[in-house]
Amino acid sequence: MSDHALRLLREQPHLAELAAFPFNFDLARADHGEAVRLASGGPLEAVAGDDTGGTYFVCGDGSVLYADSEGSAGIIGNSVDEALEVLVGLPGWHDHLGLAPADGEEKIRAAVAETEEEIREYHGIDDERTELRAGLGLPERSPVELVGLLHAALLRTEPDFLLLNAEEGGAHALLDRHPRPPLWEAVLARGRTDLTLLREGSAWDEVAGDRARRALALRAAQFDRREGDLPLLRHLLRHEAEASMTDELRLAAVLVGLHGHAEDLPLLYEVRETDFDTWCGLGGMPEPGADPAEPRRWARDLDDSLFGTDPADEPLFTWTGLAHEQGLVELARAALIRRLDDIDFRAYCDARDSKAMERRHACQLNPLVNEFEQLGDTFQALRAQRLHVPLQTRAWDRVSALLRLARLEREEGRLGAAIRTLSSLRDTLSEPDGGASDSDSSLGHWQRTNLGAYIVEEHYAVARAAATDTALADEVRAVTVAAGELLARLSGTARANVERHLAGTTDIRTDTRTDTHADTGADPGAGVSAEPTPPQPSAG
């Protein structure tokens, strides 16, 4: 991934001037104007810009990412040298983003010639191109070759080079509009290969013994069903039962059951009895000795409601979860960010109709938060949780959502925001029944639950995290006092659990102790646990 041409441009002003005009690669325009970053967290260096407000960035592997001023971005070369080949050889390259090698030589040459003739009406490009190519040592390629390079580079943009607004977290649109394969196609590729191996009678134990490969093979079998697959499906089912209750276990049971063989009922029953989770998850299964038609009927009903034969009908989270399992983290992240951006945009459009926003988005936001957290992307999880909080109508759900929001803000280092969120949480707790209606008493006994313990522990965790920030000294004192007050309100068992969790840690500040709590037995300045905060209860 050579940067030979970039070094020459920086060392030779005359070549830099030629690159800036007429080829619009200007080293003096490297300020993009807004903070951006790659979703993957990879390095990104702005090296040049153009007169439309666009910026050229060099990524960690040397690839050049171009971001325009309208919120679109795309890879235009595998290196600065290759990107300059495209810019110099196709001076009107923005007009050729829709071209692809499949369009054929005649169409490509005609389009490039038309654009260059329009450019020549205003200034020269031919002598300048010859001089700059010679000065930078760039080869002379045909327009067809250059369009092929540009097209291949653009298709590499996602998932590894997805560009985000660094503050808000939204993704840039793709610079081109070339169709991409659906997420499920990339995720299923390994599963289809393994399914072929299983059908050939090889790698049975290797595939069945690997959780990620087994899950993908089962998904491949879901969308490519064959009568002769029953033996391998039985084998996969037995191994999947070792993982307890999963979507793929239910799928394996369904695929076996659809064959309608009475002799499979003991196996299905044995799998169901693996543990309590499998007993619940495979409920309704016919008992051994049932009519042979019963297993098929049971499997068909589950198949119709949960599975089917079209991968495009599967929820996004099926594919992002499987992508994550096989190490395709950026593929999963990019798909989830695109979905969150879509919800964020629609929520903005629906702002005047909160009911419509609730119906459309509430069911997807909590899974998005979960998925981002599993990817270790707290930044995007926080984005999703901010949208999720206002949609909660039950008092318990509101408090749970605010608690999770405060934790995510703390983990992202946004301690002032976390303190404000905890204040909102306490306001909700202080309202009669948490502000609930007469028919909603969900928060009536929060002091006796794990939720109450988590609330107290999060107050102490935020106070500890912010203790060294002198600008937040008053807020830290207030949140610590509030933690002590909340601790005093917990039931005996819940309070004992929190105190046990906090035991052995150091005080946040000695001056946060107040006489107000002297008679409660609770110490508002008690130390914050060095252990991770326990998992927060999800809404509902």
Side-chain angles (χ1 to χ4, degrees), residues 460-491:
Y460 281 123
V462 169
R464 183 185 183 190
T468 59
D469 189 338
T470 56
L472 294 175
D474 291 342
E475 288 85 348
V476 170
R477 186 175 296 108
V479 80
T480 307
V481 169
E485 293 172 344
L486 291 168
L487 180 62
R489 296 175 65 185
L490 296 182
S491 69

PDB file of all heavy atoms in Angstrom, residues 460-491:
ATOM      1  N   TYR A 460     -23.552   5.010  43.657  1.00  0.00           N
ATOM      2  CA  TYR A 460     -22.202   4.980  44.198  1.00  0.00           C
ATOM      3  C   TYR A 460     -21.153   4.826  43.089  1.00  0.00           C
ATOM      4  O   TYR A 460     -20.073   5.417  43.147  1.00  0.00           O
ATOM      5  CB  TYR A 460     -22.064   3.841  45.210  1.00  0.00           C
ATOM      6  CG  TYR A 460     -22.636   4.165  46.573  1.00  0.00           C
ATOM      7  CD1 TYR A 460     -23.620   3.357  47.145  1.00  0.00           C
ATOM      8  CD2 TYR A 460     -22.189   5.274  47.284  1.00  0.00           C
ATOM      9  CE1 TYR A 460     -24.142   3.640  48.397  1.00  0.00           C
ATOM     10  CE2 TYR A 460     -22.711   5.574  48.532  1.00  0.00           C
ATOM     11  CZ  TYR A 460     -23.685   4.756  49.090  1.00  0.00           C
ATOM     12  OH  TYR A 460     -24.198   5.054  50.322  1.00  0.00           O
ATOM     13  N   ALA A 461     -21.472   4.037  42.063  1.00  0.00           N
ATOM     14  CA  ALA A 461     -20.519   3.837  40.969  1.00  0.00           C
ATOM     15  C   ALA A 461     -20.269   5.143  40.219  1.00  0.00           C
ATOM     16  O   ALA A 461     -19.125   5.466  39.862  1.00  0.00           O
ATOM     17  CB  ALA A 461     -21.035   2.761  40.008  1.00  0.00           C
ATOM     18  N   VAL A 462     -21.320   5.909  39.975  1.00  0.00           N
ATOM     19  CA  VAL A 462     -21.164   7.198  39.292  1.00  0.00           C
ATOM     20  C   VAL A 462     -20.373   8.168  40.167  1.00  0.00           C
ATOM     21  O   VAL A 462     -19.469   8.877  39.685  1.00  0.00           O
ATOM     22  CB  VAL A 462     -22.539   7.782  38.924  1.00  0.00           C
ATOM     23  CG1 VAL A 462     -22.414   9.239  38.462  1.00  0.00           C
ATOM     24  CG2 VAL A 462     -23.191   6.953  37.824  1.00  0.00           C
ATOM     25  N   ALA A 463     -20.709   8.198  41.452  1.00  0.00           N
ATOM     26  CA  ALA A 463     -20.001   9.096  42.362  1.00  0.00           C
ATOM     27  C   ALA A 463     -18.513   8.769  42.407  1.00  0.00           C
ATOM     28  O   ALA A 463     -17.660   9.659  42.398  1.00  0.00           O
ATOM     29  CB  ALA A 463     -20.607   9.017  43.760  1.00  0.00           C
ATOM     30  N   ARG A 464     -18.203   7.488  42.430  1.00  0.00           N
ATOM     31  CA  ARG A 464     -16.792   7.102  42.474  1.00  0.00           C
ATOM     32  C   ARG A 464     -16.081   7.479  41.183  1.00  0.00           C
ATOM     33  O   ARG A 464     -14.960   8.000  41.206  1.00  0.00           O
ATOM     34  CB  ARG A 464     -16.666   5.603  42.716  1.00  0.00           C
ATOM     35  CG  ARG A 464     -15.227   5.152  42.849  1.00  0.00           C
ATOM     36  CD  ARG A 464     -15.128   3.653  42.959  1.00  0.00           C
ATOM     37  NE  ARG A 464     -13.753   3.242  43.167  1.00  0.00           N
ATOM     38  CZ  ARG A 464     -13.333   1.994  43.113  1.00  0.00           C
ATOM     39  NH1 ARG A 464     -14.195   1.035  42.850  1.00  0.00           N
ATOM     40  NH2 ARG A 464     -12.075   1.694  43.325  1.00  0.00           N
ATOM     41  N   ALA A 465     -16.738   7.236  40.044  1.00  0.00           N
ATOM     42  CA  ALA A 465     -16.111   7.537  38.754  1.00  0.00           C
ATOM     43  C   ALA A 465     -15.847   9.030  38.596  1.00  0.00           C
ATOM     44  O   ALA A 465     -14.870   9.436  37.961  1.00  0.00           O
ATOM     45  CB  ALA A 465     -17.000   7.037  37.616  1.00  0.00           C
ATOM     46  N   ALA A 466     -16.709   9.866  39.187  1.00  0.00           N
ATOM     47  CA  ALA A 466     -16.585  11.318  39.029  1.00  0.00           C
ATOM     48  C   ALA A 466     -15.841  11.973  40.188  1.00  0.00           C
ATOM     49  O   ALA A 466     -15.686  13.200  40.210  1.00  0.00           O
ATOM     50  CB  ALA A 466     -17.980  11.938  38.894  1.00  0.00           C
ATOM     51  N   ALA A 467     -15.378  11.183  41.139  1.00  0.00           N
ATOM     52  CA  ALA A 467     -14.819  11.745  42.376  1.00  0.00           C
ATOM     53  C   ALA A 467     -13.611  12.630  42.140  1.00  0.00           C
ATOM     54  O   ALA A 467     -13.370  13.568  42.902  1.00  0.00           O
ATOM     55  CB  ALA A 467     -14.466  10.614  43.343  1.00  0.00           C
ATOM     56  N   THR A 468     -12.823  12.367  41.111  1.00  0.00           N
ATOM     57  CA  THR A 468     -11.609  13.159  40.872  1.00  0.00           C
ATOM     58  C   THR A 468     -11.856  14.355  39.968  1.00  0.00           C
ATOM     59  O   THR A 468     -10.920  15.118  39.692  1.00  0.00           O
ATOM     60  CB  THR A 468     -10.523  12.274  40.236  1.00  0.00           C
ATOM     61  OG1 THR A 468     -11.009  11.728  39.002  1.00  0.00           O
ATOM     62  CG2 THR A 468     -10.126  11.138  41.181  1.00  0.00           C
ATOM     63  N   ASP A 469     -13.075  14.529  39.496  1.00  0.00           N
ATOM     64  CA  ASP A 469     -13.399  15.658  38.616  1.00  0.00           C
ATOM     65  C   ASP A 469     -13.837  16.838  39.481  1.00  0.00           C
ATOM     66  O   ASP A 469     -14.961  16.891  39.973  1.00  0.00           O
ATOM     67  CB  ASP A 469     -14.513  15.253  37.646  1.00  0.00           C
ATOM     68  CG  ASP A 469     -14.753  16.304  36.557  1.00  0.00           C
ATOM     69  OD1 ASP A 469     -14.378  17.471  36.776  1.00  0.00           O
ATOM     70  OD2 ASP A 469     -15.315  15.940  35.513  1.00  0.00           O
ATOM     71  N   THR A 470     -12.942  17.793  39.663  1.00  0.00           N
ATOM     72  CA  THR A 470     -13.244  18.917  40.557  1.00  0.00           C
ATOM     73  C   THR A 470     -14.414  19.754  40.058  1.00  0.00           C
ATOM     74  O   THR A 470     -15.115  20.374  40.860  1.00  0.00           O
ATOM     75  CB  THR A 470     -12.000  19.809  40.713  1.00  0.00           C
ATOM     76  OG1 THR A 470     -11.562  20.243  39.410  1.00  0.00           O
ATOM     77  CG2 THR A 470     -10.866  19.048  41.393  1.00  0.00           C
ATOM     78  N   ALA A 471     -14.641  19.767  38.744  1.00  0.00           N
ATOM     79  CA  ALA A 471     -15.755  20.547  38.208  1.00  0.00           C
ATOM     80  C   ALA A 471     -17.103  19.952  38.598  1.00  0.00           C
ATOM     81  O   ALA A 471     -18.126  20.634  38.533  1.00  0.00           O
ATOM     82  CB  ALA A 471     -15.649  20.629  36.683  1.00  0.00           C
ATOM     83  N   LEU A 472     -17.098  18.684  39.007  1.00  0.00           N
ATOM     84  CA  LEU A 472     -18.346  18.021  39.388  1.00  0.00           C
ATOM     85  C   LEU A 472     -18.423  17.781  40.892  1.00  0.00           C
ATOM     86  O   LEU A 472     -19.225  16.960  41.343  1.00  0.00           O
ATOM     87  CB  LEU A 472     -18.461  16.676  38.656  1.00  0.00           C
ATOM     88  CG  LEU A 472     -18.620  16.718  37.133  1.00  0.00           C
ATOM     89  CD1 LEU A 472     -18.592  15.305  36.564  1.00  0.00           C
ATOM     90  CD2 LEU A 472     -19.918  17.417  36.740  1.00  0.00           C
ATOM     91  N   ALA A 473     -17.618  18.502  41.663  1.00  0.00           N
ATOM     92  CA  ALA A 473     -17.545  18.219  43.100  1.00  0.00           C
ATOM     93  C   ALA A 473     -18.910  18.322  43.772  1.00  0.00           C
ATOM     94  O   ALA A 473     -19.286  17.451  44.577  1.00  0.00           O
ATOM     95  CB  ALA A 473     -16.549  19.173  43.763  1.00  0.00           C
ATOM     96  N   ASP A 474     -19.667  19.373  43.484  1.00  0.00           N
ATOM     97  CA  ASP A 474     -20.979  19.529  44.117  1.00  0.00           C
ATOM     98  C   ASP A 474     -21.926  18.419  43.692  1.00  0.00           C
ATOM     99  O   ASP A 474     -22.692  17.884  44.508  1.00  0.00           O
ATOM    100  CB  ASP A 474     -21.580  20.894  43.756  1.00  0.00           C
ATOM    101  CG  ASP A 474     -20.825  22.041  44.405  1.00  0.00           C
ATOM    102  OD1 ASP A 474     -20.092  21.788  45.374  1.00  0.00           O
ATOM    103  OD2 ASP A 474     -20.962  23.183  43.912  1.00  0.00           O
ATOM    104  N   GLU A 475     -21.877  18.061  42.394  1.00  0.00           N
ATOM    105  CA  GLU A 475     -22.758  17.010  41.893  1.00  0.00           C
ATOM    106  C   GLU A 475     -22.403  15.661  42.515  1.00  0.00           C
ATOM    107  O   GLU A 475     -23.293  14.852  42.827  1.00  0.00           O
ATOM    108  CB  GLU A 475     -22.668  16.927  40.368  1.00  0.00           C
ATOM    109  CG  GLU A 475     -23.332  18.084  39.628  1.00  0.00           C
ATOM    110  CD  GLU A 475     -22.411  19.281  39.482  1.00  0.00           C
ATOM    111  OE1 GLU A 475     -21.333  19.300  40.151  1.00  0.00           O
ATOM    112  OE2 GLU A 475     -22.769  20.202  38.732  1.00  0.00           O
ATOM    113  N   VAL A 476     -21.102  15.403  42.695  1.00  0.00           N
ATOM    114  CA  VAL A 476     -20.673  14.150  43.322  1.00  0.00           C
ATOM    115  C   VAL A 476     -21.186  14.078  44.752  1.00  0.00           C
ATOM    116  O   VAL A 476     -21.676  13.037  45.205  1.00  0.00           O
ATOM    117  CB  VAL A 476     -19.133  14.026  43.286  1.00  0.00           C
ATOM    118  CG1 VAL A 476     -18.674  12.861  44.151  1.00  0.00           C
ATOM    119  CG2 VAL A 476     -18.648  13.844  41.854  1.00  0.00           C
ATOM    120  N   ARG A 477     -21.086  15.203  45.459  1.00  0.00           N
ATOM    121  CA  ARG A 477     -21.575  15.226  46.838  1.00  0.00           C
ATOM    122  C   ARG A 477     -23.075  14.936  46.871  1.00  0.00           C
ATOM    123  O   ARG A 477     -23.562  14.151  47.695  1.00  0.00           O
ATOM    124  CB  ARG A 477     -21.273  16.588  47.473  1.00  0.00           C
ATOM    125  CG  ARG A 477     -21.609  16.672  48.950  1.00  0.00           C
ATOM    126  CD  ARG A 477     -21.169  17.996  49.546  1.00  0.00           C
ATOM    127  NE  ARG A 477     -19.719  18.135  49.494  1.00  0.00           N
ATOM    128  CZ  ARG A 477     -19.047  18.951  48.675  1.00  0.00           C
ATOM    129  NH1 ARG A 477     -19.721  19.703  47.817  1.00  0.00           N
ATOM    130  NH2 ARG A 477     -17.737  19.010  48.706  1.00  0.00           N
ATOM    131  N   ALA A 478     -23.815  15.555  45.948  1.00  0.00           N
ATOM    132  CA  ALA A 478     -25.271  15.378  45.931  1.00  0.00           C
ATOM    133  C   ALA A 478     -25.653  13.937  45.600  1.00  0.00           C
ATOM    134  O   ALA A 478     -26.563  13.361  46.214  1.00  0.00           O
ATOM    135  CB  ALA A 478     -25.894  16.339  44.919  1.00  0.00           C
ATOM    136  N   VAL A 479     -24.970  13.329  44.623  1.00  0.00           N
ATOM    137  CA  VAL A 479     -25.335  11.974  44.234  1.00  0.00           C
ATOM    138  C   VAL A 479     -24.945  10.975  45.321  1.00  0.00           C
ATOM    139  O   VAL A 479     -25.618   9.948  45.517  1.00  0.00           O
ATOM    140  CB  VAL A 479     -24.714  11.610  42.861  1.00  0.00           C
ATOM    141  CG1 VAL A 479     -23.262  11.199  42.977  1.00  0.00           C
ATOM    142  CG2 VAL A 479     -25.503  10.492  42.193  1.00  0.00           C
ATOM    143  N   THR A 480     -23.887  11.277  46.063  1.00  0.00           N
ATOM    144  CA  THR A 480     -23.488  10.391  47.157  1.00  0.00           C
ATOM    145  C   THR A 480     -24.490  10.462  48.299  1.00  0.00           C
ATOM    146  O   THR A 480     -24.852   9.435  48.894  1.00  0.00           O
ATOM    147  CB  THR A 480     -22.086  10.769  47.659  1.00  0.00           C
ATOM    148  OG1 THR A 480     -21.184  10.802  46.558  1.00  0.00           O
ATOM    149  CG2 THR A 480     -21.589   9.761  48.677  1.00  0.00           C
ATOM    150  N   VAL A 481     -24.921  11.671  48.620  1.00  0.00           N
ATOM    151  CA  VAL A 481     -25.954  11.823  49.652  1.00  0.00           C
ATOM    152  C   VAL A 481     -27.228  11.097  49.222  1.00  0.00           C
ATOM    153  O   VAL A 481     -27.871  10.388  50.014  1.00  0.00           O
ATOM    154  CB  VAL A 481     -26.237  13.313  49.915  1.00  0.00           C
ATOM    155  CG1 VAL A 481     -27.487  13.486  50.779  1.00  0.00           C
ATOM    156  CG2 VAL A 481     -25.041  13.967  50.583  1.00  0.00           C
ATOM    157  N   ALA A 482     -27.598  11.260  47.942  1.00  0.00           N
ATOM    158  CA  ALA A 482     -28.796  10.586  47.443  1.00  0.00           C
ATOM    159  C   ALA A 482     -28.649   9.073  47.538  1.00  0.00           C
ATOM    160  O   ALA A 482     -29.612   8.363  47.851  1.00  0.00           O
ATOM    161  CB  ALA A 482     -29.064  10.998  45.997  1.00  0.00           C
ATOM    162  N   ALA A 483     -27.435   8.565  47.292  1.00  0.00           N
ATOM    163  CA  ALA A 483     -27.212   7.122  47.401  1.00  0.00           C
ATOM    164  C   ALA A 483     -27.475   6.648  48.819  1.00  0.00           C
ATOM    165  O   ALA A 483     -28.091   5.594  49.044  1.00  0.00           O
ATOM    166  CB  ALA A 483     -25.778   6.786  46.984  1.00  0.00           C
ATOM    167  N   GLY A 484     -27.005   7.409  49.805  1.00  0.00           N
ATOM    168  CA  GLY A 484     -27.247   7.031  51.189  1.00  0.00           C
ATOM    169  C   GLY A 484     -28.717   7.049  51.541  1.00  0.00           C
ATOM    170  O   GLY A 484     -29.212   6.165  52.264  1.00  0.00           O
ATOM    171  N   GLU A 485     -29.434   8.039  51.036  1.00  0.00           N
ATOM    172  CA  GLU A 485     -30.876   8.114  51.303  1.00  0.00           C
ATOM    173  C   GLU A 485     -31.613   6.932  50.680  1.00  0.00           C
ATOM    174  O   GLU A 485     -32.511   6.346  51.295  1.00  0.00           O
ATOM    175  CB  GLU A 485     -31.420   9.436  50.764  1.00  0.00           C
ATOM    176  CG  GLU A 485     -30.893  10.662  51.504  1.00  0.00           C
ATOM    177  CD  GLU A 485     -31.301  11.965  50.827  1.00  0.00           C
ATOM    178  OE1 GLU A 485     -31.716  11.907  49.649  1.00  0.00           O
ATOM    179  OE2 GLU A 485     -31.187  13.030  51.460  1.00  0.00           O
ATOM    180  N   LEU A 486     -31.230   6.599  49.466  1.00  0.00           N
ATOM    181  CA  LEU A 486     -31.867   5.457  48.802  1.00  0.00           C
ATOM    182  C   LEU A 486     -31.532   4.154  49.501  1.00  0.00           C
ATOM    183  O   LEU A 486     -32.377   3.264  49.636  1.00  0.00           O
ATOM    184  CB  LEU A 486     -31.437   5.400  47.338  1.00  0.00           C
ATOM    185  CG  LEU A 486     -31.955   6.523  46.433  1.00  0.00           C
ATOM    186  CD1 LEU A 486     -31.220   6.512  45.097  1.00  0.00           C
ATOM    187  CD2 LEU A 486     -33.457   6.385  46.206  1.00  0.00           C
ATOM    188  N   LEU A 487     -30.285   4.017  49.933  1.00  0.00           N
ATOM    189  CA  LEU A 487     -29.878   2.821  50.649  1.00  0.00           C
ATOM    190  C   LEU A 487     -30.730   2.635  51.908  1.00  0.00           C
ATOM    191  O   LEU A 487     -31.139   1.518  52.238  1.00  0.00           O
ATOM    192  CB  LEU A 487     -28.396   2.904  51.016  1.00  0.00           C
ATOM    193  CG  LEU A 487     -27.801   1.721  51.777  1.00  0.00           C
ATOM    194  CD1 LEU A 487     -27.889   0.440  50.952  1.00  0.00           C
ATOM    195  CD2 LEU A 487     -26.356   2.000  52.170  1.00  0.00           C
ATOM    196  N   ALA A 488     -30.985   3.741  52.612  1.00  0.00           N
ATOM    197  CA  ALA A 488     -31.777   3.664  53.842  1.00  0.00           C
ATOM    198  C   ALA A 488     -33.214   3.231  53.579  1.00  0.00           C
ATOM    199  O   ALA A 488     -33.884   2.696  54.469  1.00  0.00           O
ATOM    200  CB  ALA A 488     -31.755   5.014  54.547  1.00  0.00           C
ATOM    201  N   ARG A 489     -33.697   3.440  52.358  1.00  0.00           N
ATOM    202  CA  ARG A 489     -35.079   3.095  52.022  1.00  0.00           C
ATOM    203  C   ARG A 489     -35.235   1.636  51.596  1.00  0.00           C
ATOM    204  O   ARG A 489     -36.354   1.148  51.477  1.00  0.00           O
ATOM    205  CB  ARG A 489     -35.596   4.016  50.907  1.00  0.00           C
ATOM    206  CG  ARG A 489     -35.688   5.478  51.309  1.00  0.00           C
ATOM    207  CD  ARG A 489     -36.096   6.352  50.129  1.00  0.00           C
ATOM    208  NE  ARG A 489     -37.442   6.054  49.658  1.00  0.00           N
ATOM    209  CZ  ARG A 489     -37.998   6.611  48.577  1.00  0.00           C
ATOM    210  NH1 ARG A 489     -37.299   7.472  47.851  1.00  0.00           N
ATOM    211  NH2 ARG A 489     -39.221   6.286  48.222  1.00  0.00           N
ATOM    212  N   LEU A 490     -34.128   0.968  51.322  1.00  0.00           N
ATOM    213  CA  LEU A 490     -34.228  -0.430  50.891  1.00  0.00           C
ATOM    214  C   LEU A 490     -34.688  -1.311  52.038  1.00  0.00           C
ATOM    215  O   LEU A 490     -34.464  -1.022  53.209  1.00  0.00           O
ATOM    216  CB  LEU A 490     -32.879  -0.924  50.379  1.00  0.00           C
ATOM    217  CG  LEU A 490     -32.298  -0.265  49.125  1.00  0.00           C
ATOM    218  CD1 LEU A 490     -30.976  -0.938  48.749  1.00  0.00           C
ATOM    219  CD2 LEU A 490     -33.281  -0.313  47.969  1.00  0.00           C
ATOM    220  N   SER A 491     -35.300  -2.416  51.683  1.00  0.00           N
ATOM    221  CA  SER A 491     -35.672  -3.403  52.691  1.00  0.00           C
ATOM    222  C   SER A 491     -34.407  -3.992  53.295  1.00  0.00           C
ATOM    223  O   SER A 491     -33.309  -3.856  52.749  1.00  0.00           O
ATOM    224  CB  SER A 491     -36.510  -4.515  52.061  1.00  0.00           C
ATOM    225  OG  SER A 491     -35.696  -5.299  51.191  1.00  0.00           O
TER     226      SER A 491
END
